[in-house]
Amino acid sequence: MLEILKSRLLQGYRAGKFPRRAPVMPERFLGLPLIDNSLCQKDCSACLQTCPAGAIQKESDGGITLDCGKCIFCGKCARACKSGVIKFSRQHDLAAFERKQLLRRDASYSYELQPKPIIRQLCGRSLKIRQVSAGGCGACELDFNVLNTLAWDMARLHIQVVASPRHADCLLVTGPLSKNMLLALKKTYLSMPEPAFVIACGTCPISGGIFAGSEAVCDGIEEVLKPDLYLPGCPPHPASIMEALLRFMGRQMRPMEGDRENKAQKEDKAQEGDKKPEDSLKA
Amino acid sequence: MSPLIFAILLIIFAALLCLLLSFNERSAGLVVADFSSGQLHLPALIALAGTILGLLAIVPSCAIALFRDTLPGCGEFMRAWFLLPIICVGILSALHSIAYLDKSFSPLRRGVYWFFFNMTVAMMLLVTQAEHPVIFLLAWEGMGLFSFALIMFDYKQKENMHAAWIYFLACQAGGALLMLMFFAGAFPLFVFICGMLGFGLKAGAPILHIWLPGSYQAAPAPASVLLSAGMINLGFLGILRWLVLPDPALAPLLGYSLLICGMPGALLGIFFAMPQKNLKRLLAYSSVENMGLIACGLGFGFLSIHWQRADIALLSFAAAGLHLLGHSLLKGNLFLLTDHVYRASGELNLDKLGGMQKILPGTGYAYTLSAMAISGLPPGNIFMAEILLYVAAARGIASDKLSVVAPSLALFLTLAFCGVLAMTVFSKASAAIFLGEPRSKAARRNLAVPPLMKRCGIAFMVLLLIFLCGSPFLAPRLMHAFVGQYESLYSADLGAELYASALDARRLLGLVLSCVLLVGMLFILLWRVRRKYLPYSTAVPPRRFTWDCGFAQPTARMQYTGTAFVQPLVELFAPLLRPVKKILLPRGLFPKKASYELSCHDGSEQIFWRPLVNFTVRLAIFSHRLQSGHLHLYVLMLISALLALFIWGFAM
Amino acid sequence: MAEQFLILRNPGAAPLSELPILPFDEFRSQALAAIIGRKARVVAFFAYAHGAAQRLLLILASDQEGKLLLSSSEIEGAFESFTPSSAQFHWFEREIYEQHGIMPKGHPWLKPIRFDSPGSNADEPGVCEYFRLAGEAAHEVAVGPVHAGVIEPGHFRFQCVGEQVYFLEISLGYQHRGIEKMLRQGPDKKSLHLMETCCGDSSCAYSGAYAHLLESLQEDLCPTERTQVMRMIAWELERLANHTGDMGALANDVAFRPTMAYCGRIRGEFLNMTAELCGNRFGRGLIRPGGMGYDINDAIVAKLLPWLQASGKELRNALELLFSRAGVLDRFENTGTVDSKTAANIGMVGIAARASAQKQDLRSYHPYGWYRENPYEAAWAESGDVYARALIRYEEIKKSLAMLEPALKKLPPAEKNAATPPLSLQPKHIAVSMTEAWRGELCLCAITDEQGRFEQFKIVDPSFHNWYALAMALRGEQISNFPLCNKSFNLSYCGHDL
Amino acid sequence: MSMFVWFCGLLLSLLLCPLLSGLICKLKGIFVGCPGPSVWQPYYDIIKLLRKGSVYSQTTTWVLPLAPLISLAAMLCAMLFLPFAFVDSPLAFEGDVIVFFYFLAGARVISVLAAMDTGSSFAGMGASREMQFSSLAELGMFCILAFLVMTTGNFSMSGLLNGAGILIWSYSGTALLLVIIAFFILLLSENCRVPIDDPDTHLELTMIHEAMVLDYGGPDLGIIHYTAALKLWLFTSICSLIIVPAGLFSGFSGLLLFILAQFLLGVLVAIVEGTAARFRFLKVPQFLLAVPGLTIIAIIMLLLFK
């Protein structure tokens, strides 16, 4: 007992500040891509050629569209682009309620912020999640699991993982939906009482991600289930998942567009001074 | 002629007529009524009519005895109390028998069955009636013999014959002991021991219950009902009528011995019921438990008289009486319901059944309710008895004297532990039979169950309900009866005590019933709220599949079997139960086969009877050696015997 | 009969012409002789189509000599199974049968492992003939593919009576994504990312092994000394993060909340350190063939060092707390035991093998990269139970922490930024590269065609060797101990299913 | 007046019982260094579940849909006999203890049957464990009852719990202490707490209570959560009533103390959960058999020193 108390003193109170304070993402973190099509060279397709996931499309007007639902956030395109059309910000909030909102053509942030009213009414203060891995590499699961740890402690924000789909409000799917998981995913969804929601967590369930095109996968879950929330990322950072879940529950109000990036950076600098490194990184 | 004698004669007459007609081919094959499953033949009709008319004839006198307001004639009340289950169970099992004896039985066999059935009933009635030892002994012996014939009705199966022979031996031993009891009046202790053993044999006392599980399992279902719900009680009647009544001085001794037999009996019974796979065997062991508890109640009552605590005594007697009736009806019902299951599936092995609720919904409700009731859950007839005994024991615990506290405490804990183990046993049984998915082809077979059988089940449930609601009124009357019977035992004036206890019991049972009613009302209220006001529950919830982790092909093998359900408890009590496991473990990295089989042989057989038999056999072999046939050896024996006598003579 | 093996050191490549192609009987007898005589282990055994012919390729590792032995044989449609002689082949032969329909004759346990055509005839994944415990009292407990926790899918079939497990069979394949197939004709722009997503928690080990593989196939792709150190940092951070997470999970399974909570958080610290290096918590994009995706500058070193020290201290404290609780040790000890004989029979690798007294660690016996110059002494234990596997993790955590600090302090200076040359692999070569991922031995094997493309690419994840050990560990165990046993192995589903 | 206080106690118990579970979860969080779920989380969960739909399995019969409400009704009826806020229940009668515990047992049996009704191996596993552990716990419970009967000479819930006042503490405090420890073990076991069960685990193979209700969703599950919270409250109530000498407090101070005592016991449960590791299942029976063991020692002490 004494040892436990001693240990508790040493370990300290380590809960993260999210969502009260914006998370500080690592220096080299690749978040929301910002596209400046005005700089795009017409005859250049360096980004297209280098993208391993085929997320970039050249549009007829000369600009490009980056599909976050396909992007695996490797950053190769930003390095390949000599004219600086593509930049990856350190912004973590990537989730969207509609698939088409993931197509990025500019630097604005125009995601819908409010979920369907029923979700907020029902799950605003109690969201029970059943997670299903449908193929994939297991990294999304790991980073989702992180939300259970001290630093994130999603239980304090009314989110919990439950054992049975019968207990769940929401199905969180990761992975590109391997053919072998098709039936299991359907059965899990069918086992949930109404109303049942679906979250596609990670690039894989949205489009198949890096595995798109393989014979053994279905290229995302859309052909089986219509997700109520799309969260790109490979894997999404815990902060992204957390933000997405909160937004899904209708509990996270975004600061309006425009000043977001600046604000985040300012906060960064302000925090760096007074915080220990481990604290700033954890959040 | 009293109605009882008339009934006995009528039943015997019907039996003889039935037997006579059965041997005549023409009349034996004469069909009187046609049911979906079989026909009712003339002899059977006669026997059936005899039984039912006879038993119905007793009802009025029985009712008068039970509800007469004045105290005298308590002997009559007791007799009526023991007659009550025989009447109920007799009529219903007779009706069930019609459906039981379907086309597969030849008319002759039916005739024989009915003969023995009627004779058994008649002898049981005679046993309750007999006032003279010789008649009693004759009736007792007849009851044993005729029921022996019923048990060996299905004589083609070897194990049935084995069970029947053990039963026969037990009956003969019991009869012999009782004979000794009646004709050795000079030695009270000897009389007592003989009587206890003799009647204990019939009442399924621990160790002496050896015949019980096998014969219940072997007998045809209606006969099992007769045995378990009617005959087994008569052991207690014997003890009350022939042991205590003639010699009230035996009461304290009887109290101790009943309590000392009853508690381990109850525990052993329920322990051995736990791992049983055969449904009827499980019920048989549960009978041993219930008999143990009844013995506890009676024993505690007699002890309390000895302690001069009339209030405790009265409560205990009322508890024992209610328990006896409740057990008879519930056990009868459960045996009959088990027969429904057997009819529909041809299977009595718990581990192979499952999902029968969908095939036999009515049976499922009735079984589950009866199972909950027999494990002592409220609102059940057994609970009504047990709560009285609990209160009695608690009053004993609150006493100042250690000699009172210790037995009360032991009884209190025995009751609690038996109760919770019985809940385990019966939730295992009803879950394994009725709930989940069928575990074998048999459970999926869905053969027709004759409607008559089902109606018998309904009748049982109605009777149970009537007696449940009547229990607040019956309990005080039981107290009266016992006071009247054993008035000589009480030293003080009983009037006030009796009045208070009767009031206590009536109030307690009434309150329990109203609590149950309250729960029912609360439930209905909650149910309506749930249905009406919760947004999504107004719609009919979709029926999908049990959550199977998303696996493609879940099978019925993926549910707990009855044995698996109790496995942890059986392992925990393995030193007591000594389960015999035949396990072939999977060997090596890629095993070819593995298997598991568990059986629990009767504890008394292992610990007591087998060593006893072995010892006897060894003794016999040894004495056989002395009989070698050599003359000189006999001479030597003669001389040594003479020598021994000489020495003894000198020593004196 | 002289031994005919192509001998390589890890990582190594050789022209395909040097690979002996033996008649099957000789191939078989030599392989078995090497397994018995040289105490060699099966690292990989697979079939591939070479033109019209079907070839079997076997890679053995002799730990004491630090050598890899390669041999091959041409067969037609079927061959005599090795499994009855050596159970190490068991899973590989099932894979061969499933992938190519080549029948290993006499295989005692031929069932699909990934439910992928053509060898598996199942309509639905996971549906096959399971071993049964006979007797009416016996029942099955089927768990998965969708589990109660947040873990990957797999199907576990327990043969039980009540709480007692008599047999466990594990059926995987739900995570099958066809990575090996997608890698053929590479390397292309996807290849590295596919390697990193073979098994999400071992991204660095995979990308490292892949880098070594390409570096051995292309001579001018030569990692600098600084690169070697940086890779080691990535690997050991990965190891630390995963071992820490596992210790927390083990604590969780015995419901010991303090250590579970602390380890969960500290694992995050290690992941965040990795993210500090490359922006991704799993080290994606950090290691690439020929060099590193990102450099470690002084600012990062200054940030990481105190961070590492603090986290290390907290971690030691959390683990000491765990190992000091009698209740925890009681749960750990004698639970899920795999004895050393079984471990050797099955051919277990990694921490699970080291916990069952198998002295094997690629960093010691087949050193590669940084470990070549810096000898590493493997930790091992005897008892083979959950306790041993936890203890090995604790020892390795201590060792990793001890390696990381000096490495970070004394990073070799950055060399003049020489651009990595474009990829052009040697044609008609065979290359094998193994790294000790945190779970154990990870083996990549590539065969290039005339254009220097991958004609065949084989991945053997450590879990591939170890899943059967988990099944063995559960025999005769209580079913309630399964989560604990499972966590103590913590095998990868996706790494196995690929 | 006292009747009004009792009624307030009853009402507050009905209202506050989920808060106790919430508090335990919160404290467990704080114990390891994070905020933990909101104390109101159980309320949010229950309200949400009541508003959701449900799905029933084709395998199930009448037992599954009825069981949660039967359990709740039985539990509600049983709690009428408790002397809330140290005031004797107006419904008390001799023997109501038996009704109380048998109603609880009935609730347990019906939920076990409901679990078996699904035909799922997990539910069967949970049911089998529940029956095993509760059989042993019941034996302990009745030992404790016997002890209380012995000390108070009364056999109604109110008499037993309120009677165990200053007197016992004064003449056999040690015995009472043993009994309280024993009862606390029962409290942990009956409410599926560490070290017997882990309410936080979500692994099918190790759960007891949660494994049994895997197939419930929506309103039924909400009712089950509430019933579980109520059961915990009933047990902490009994525990606090045994500990606190009744005569000392009356009226609203008693009510206040009563509520406070529940939450203090909740803190104790949280501390146990925060520090203990869970037992192997094979060891649980030994742990549970300690209850009758301790109580019988207490009874012997009582007999010796009375």
Side-chain angles (χ1 to χ4, degrees), chain C residues 184-484:
Chain C
R184 276 177 217 158
Q185 297 308 311
D188 54 24
K189 59 184 181 182
K190 268 191 168 184
S191 301
L192 178 63
H193 300 288
L194 283 173
M195 292 311 303
E196 284 176 341
T197 49
C198 279
C199 176
D201 53 17
S202 310
S203 283
C204 292
Y206 266 92
S207 56
Y210 180 68
H212 282 170
L213 187 81
L214 294 200
E215 281 153 15
S216 66
L217 277 169
Q218 184 176 346
E219 270 167 15
D220 54 355
L221 273 180
C222 185
T224 62
E225 204 188 327
R226 187 178 169 85
T227 303
Q228 303 278 32
V229 179
M230 289 197 292
R231 281 181 186 173
M232 184 278 279
I233 291 170
W235 289 328
E236 296 304 327
L237 273 178
E238 186 173 83
R239 196 182 313 278
L240 271 175
N242 283 302
H243 282 349
T244 310
D246 283 353
M247 294 304 291
L250 284 174
N252 184 28
D253 279 334
V254 297
F256 184 61
R257 291 179 55 83
T259 299
M260 164 220 147
Y262 305 146
C263 283
R265 178 189 67 81
I266 298 167
R267 169 176 174 273
E269 305 287 358
F270 293 124
L271 291 178
N272 285 338
M273 289 179 209
T274 313
E276 205 58 33
L277 298 179
C278 65
N280 184 298
R281 285 157 54 91
F282 298 96
R284 303 248 167 108
L286 182 57
I287 300 173
R288 59 188 169 83
M292 297 295 278
Y294 297 86
D295 191 37
I296 302 180
N297 56 32
D298 292 346
I300 291 178
V301 171
K303 203 170 182 182
L304 283 189
L305 260 178
W307 192 359
L308 197 66
Q309 278 159 355
S311 298
K313 191 176 153 220
E314 286 157 1
L315 180 56
R316 279 197 203 100
N317 168 269
L319 294 182
E320 270 158 24
L321 186 65
L322 182 76
F323 281 109
S324 71
R325 309 304 292 178
V328 172
L329 294 184
D330 178 55
R331 290 295 307 275
F332 282 5
E333 278 167 5
N334 297 320
T335 304
T337 309
V338 181
D339 58 35
S340 66
K341 210 175 127 210
T342 313
N345 267 347
I346 303 174
M348 278 165 74
V349 298
I351 36 174
R354 293 196 281 279
S356 297
Q358 302 298 301
K359 289 178 208 167
Q360 43 154 300
D361 189 320
L362 294 179
R363 291 173 291 174
S364 307
Y365 299 107
H366 299 270
Y368 50 92
W370 183 83
Y371 305 105
R372 280 217 174 127
E373 278 75 46
N374 301 276
Y376 172 87
E377 202 183 326
W380 58 280
E382 290 275 0
S383 56
D385 50 9
V386 172
Y387 173 72
R389 289 186 282 275
L391 198 64
I392 296 282
R393 284 187 167 89
Y394 187 27
E395 290 299 319
E396 293 199 359
I397 284 172
K398 285 195 256 183
K399 281 172 189 268
S400 294
L401 284 171
M403 270 190 267
L404 277 173
E405 281 181 37
L408 269 173
K409 275 182 193 152
K410 282 186 272 179
L411 265 182
E415 283 164 34
K416 282 246 168 100
N417 205 6
T420 352
L423 289 179
S424 74
L425 308 181
Q426 287 176 331
K428 304 288 272 172
H429 264 61
I430 179 164
V432 182
S433 159
M434 303 201 295
T435 50
E436 184 75 17
W438 67 271
R439 274 193 193 90
E441 167 185 299
L442 159 69
C443 170
L444 302 182
C445 173
I447 298 170
T448 53
D449 60 9
E450 286 86 349
Q451 285 87 39
R453 292 172 172 280
F454 297 140
E455 184 185 333
Q456 191 64 36
F457 201 98
K458 183 72 205 163
I459 305 167
V460 185
D461 188 87
S463 307
F464 199 87
H465 298 276
N466 282 0
W467 273 110
Y468 207 70
L470 173 60
M472 291 301 292
L474 253 288
R475 278 200 203 167
E477 191 55 78
Q478 295 283 302
I479 197 164
S480 51
N481 281 338
F482 172 71
L484 187 62

Side-chain angles (χ1 to χ4, degrees), chain A residues 165-166 183-184 187-188 190-191 195, chain B residues 536 544-545 547-548 550-552 554:
Chain A
R166 293 266 204 277
L183 179 77
K187 285 188 89 167
T188 311
L190 280 178
S191 295
Chain B
Y536 268 90
R544 303 255 166 80
F545 39 85
W547 175 235
D548 49 11
F551 185 64

Side-chain angles (χ1 to χ4, degrees), chain C residues 148 163 254 330 333 335 480, chain D residues 129 200 202 278 280-281 283:
Chain C
E163 297 285 325
V254 297
D330 178 55
E333 278 167 5
T335 304
S480 51
Chain D
R129 288 170 183 166
D200 290 336
H202 291 306
R278 198 172 163 185
R280 276 171 204 256
F281 269 127
K283 291 235 165 132

Side-chain angles (χ1 to χ4, degrees), chain C residues 5-231:
Chain C
F5 284 112
L6 167 61
I7 296 190
L8 290 179
R9 288 199 181 265
N10 175 40
L16 208 47
S17 52
E18 286 178 20
L19 179 71
I21 301 170
L22 307 176
F24 180 76
D25 289 341
E26 209 173 306
F27 170 73
R28 183 181 152 88
S29 58
Q30 287 210 2
L32 291 176
I35 287 169
I36 294 157
R38 301 171 88 157
K39 297 213 163 46
R41 291 179 294 116
V42 179
V43 167
F45 179 48
F46 58 94
Y48 65 100
H50 187 77
Q54 287 173 320
R55 276 193 189 164
L56 292 177
L57 191 121
L58 174 66
I59 306 175
L60 298 173
S62 167
D63 287 333
Q64 296 314 316
E65 299 162 87
K67 285 177 187 162
L68 298 175
L69 316 174
L70 280 72
S71 173
S72 74
S73 172
E74 259 183 23
I75 42 123
E76 278 172 42
F79 63 96
E80 194 192 337
S81 168
F82 285 88
T83 311
S85 314
S86 167
Q88 297 186 29
F89 288 87
H90 150 230
W91 212 261
F92 290 105
E93 287 181 348
R94 280 167 70 172
E95 185 189 33
I96 290 171
Y97 178 63
E98 183 173 45
Q99 287 182 342
H100 302 274
I102 301 172
M103 172 67 88
K105 284 181 291 188
H107 192 289
W109 208 250
L110 204 55
K111 302 172 188 188
I113 63 170
R114 294 195 183 105
F115 295 89
D116 186 21
S117 56
S120 77
N121 299 319
D123 309 331
E124 299 286 357
V127 178
C128 66
E129 277 295 311
Y130 289 91
F131 177 81
R132 278 188 170 205
L133 178 65
E136 62 215 15
H139 63 103
E140 292 172 3
V141 176
V143 191
V146 180
H147 297 272
V150 182
I151 34 172
E152 297 174 70
H155 183 73
F156 298 84
R157 189 70 67 93
F158 298 88
Q159 303 293 326
C160 294
V161 177
E163 297 285 325
Q164 188 76 24
V165 179
Y166 288 93
F167 196 80
L168 164 63
E169 215 170 332
I170 301 171
S171 174
L172 300 169
Y174 292 97
Q175 294 278 69
H176 180 58
R177 292 146 285 161
I179 289 183
E180 280 179 359
K181 241 181 221 174
M182 289 173 85
L183 281 167
R184 276 177 217 158
Q185 297 308 311
D188 54 24
K189 59 184 181 182
K190 268 191 168 184
S191 301
L192 178 63
H193 300 288
L194 283 173
M195 292 311 303
E196 284 176 341
T197 49
C198 279
C199 176
D201 53 17
S202 310
S203 283
C204 292
Y206 266 92
S207 56
Y210 180 68
H212 282 170
L213 187 81
L214 294 200
E215 281 153 15
S216 66
L217 277 169
Q218 184 176 346
E219 270 167 15
D220 54 355
L221 273 180
C222 185
T224 62
E225 204 188 327
R226 187 178 169 85
T227 303
Q228 303 278 32
V229 179
M230 289 197 292
R231 281 181 186 173

Side-chain angles (χ1 to χ4, degrees), chain B residues 165-444:
Chain B
W165 281 116
I166 290 181
Y167 176 70
F168 182 76
L169 286 177
C171 282
Q172 293 317 304
L177 284 164
L178 291 183
M179 222 180 292
L180 279 177
M181 179 191 90
F182 281 120
F183 301 114
F187 308 97
L189 192 67
F190 185 68
V191 166
F192 177 76
I193 291 173
C194 285
M196 279 301 280
L197 289 177
F199 290 122
L201 258 171
K202 190 109 294 181
I207 298 184
L208 302 180
H209 73 266
I210 179 72
W211 59 272
L212 197 146
S215 49
Y216 281 20
Q217 187 185 336
S224 308
V225 175
L226 223 48
L227 291 176
S228 67
M231 196 194 309
I232 194 167
N233 297 339
L234 297 179
F236 288 115
L237 180 74
I239 290 174
L240 292 175
R241 168 71 187 77
W242 297 101
L243 267 185
V244 213
L245 211 53
D247 190 359
L250 282 175
L253 181 61
L254 183 74
Y256 276 118
S257 30
L258 276 177
L259 201 61
I260 287 168
C261 289
M263 289 191 302
L267 283 171
L268 280 179
I270 202 63
F271 270 130
F272 276 96
M274 205 155 48
Q276 297 308 325
K277 284 183 285 193
N278 185 292
L279 267 174
K280 287 171 92 176
R281 219 179 161 78
L282 184 145
L283 291 178
Y285 276 108
S286 148
S287 283
V288 175
E289 180 227 352
N290 280 291
M291 288 301 123
L293 291 178
I294 295 169
C296 284
L298 288 176
F300 199 61
F302 284 118
L303 273 184
S304 313
I305 295 174
H306 175 57
W307 299 327
Q308 295 302 320
R309 289 291 302 266
D311 58 331
I312 303 181
L314 291 170
L315 283 172
S316 317
F317 284 135
L322 283 181
H323 199 135
L324 191 124
L325 180 69
H327 167 255
S328 289
L329 295 179
L330 283 168
K331 195 46 68 66
N333 191 18
L334 285 170
F335 265 114
L336 290 192
L337 296 171
T338 303
D339 201 36
H340 296 185
V341 174
Y342 184 67
R343 263 303 152 116
S345 64
E347 188 61 71
L348 277 177
N349 188 333
L350 272 171
D351 289 340
K352 289 185 178 171
L353 289 164
M356 301 292 283
Q357 175 74 38
K358 288 185 204 93
I359 297 171
L360 301 169
T363 309
Y365 301 131
Y367 193 97
T368 308
L369 288 177
S370 306
M372 286 170 91
I374 207 165
S375 44
L377 280 173
N381 304 48
I382 303 272
F383 176 75
M384 298 308 234
E386 278 188 2
I387 193 169
L388 291 179
L389 199 51
Y390 269 120
V391 172
R395 288 189 184 177
I397 292 174
S399 147
D400 288 333
K401 284 185 225 136
L402 186 63
S403 60
V404 180
V405 172
S408 311
L409 188 63
L411 176 65
F412 192 75
L413 295 182
T414 307
L415 271 178
F417 205 38
C418 281
V420 72
L421 288 177
M423 285 171 215
T424 313
V425 169
F426 281 98
S427 46
K428 160 192 156 173
S430 60
I433 307 168
F434 293 102
L435 306 179
E437 294 286 349
R439 291 181 183 81
S440 69
K441 270 186 198 145
R444 235 173 269 124

